[in-house]
Amino acid sequence: MSKKITMTARPNAKAEVDKWVETRESAVAEKPAVKPKRLTIDIAPSLHRRLKMSCVNRDIQIADLIRTLIQSELDSQEQTMPDR
């Protein structure tokens, strides 16, 4: 008992598919000039829940809020520090 497998020629790609591949825009955004650094912190689950709910109510991401708060804190420190 032998099995015979017939191989057929590979089908030709449709011209419209080729055109789409060649003309599509990159799905990946351009990389920033400087690679951002990742910051990891541990917080209490209750604080995380409050933070998450606050962000949901404001329709913002936690990371965006944290970046804004850090920037605001550092800016206010620079304004109160004497010039060196």
Side-chain angles (χ1 to χ4, degrees):
M1 201 186 319
S2 91
K3 240 184 195 180
K4 188 172 183 181
I5 299 174
T6 306
M7 300 295 246
T8 60
R10 185 177 195 177
N12 292 334
K14 295 181 181 177
E16 59 199 39
V17 174
D18 289 339
K19 184 178 178 182
W20 176 82
V21 170
E22 293 168 1
T23 61
R24 71 186 172 103
E25 295 204 15
S26 176
V28 177
E30 289 187 29
K31 292 183 179 180
V34 177
K35 183 179 177 184
K37 293 292 186 176
R38 181 161 304 273
L39 176 67
T40 304
I41 62 169
D42 296 322
I43 60 174
S46 59
L47 180 58
H48 181 262
R49 191 176 305 107
R50 288 174 50 206
L51 175 62
K52 193 168 189 172
M53 289 306 299
S54 176
C55 288
V56 166
N57 291 334
R58 296 179 191 186
D59 194 29
I60 59 174
Q61 292 185 358
I62 291 175
D64 293 334
L65 175 63
I66 300 299
R67 281 187 208 99
T68 302
L69 292 172
I70 292 171
Q71 188 65 54
S72 175
E73 175 65 21
L74 294 176
D75 290 347
S76 70
Q77 281 183 8
E78 288 174 1
Q79 291 174 0
T80 60
M81 292 178 74
D83 290 336
R84 292 183 184 193

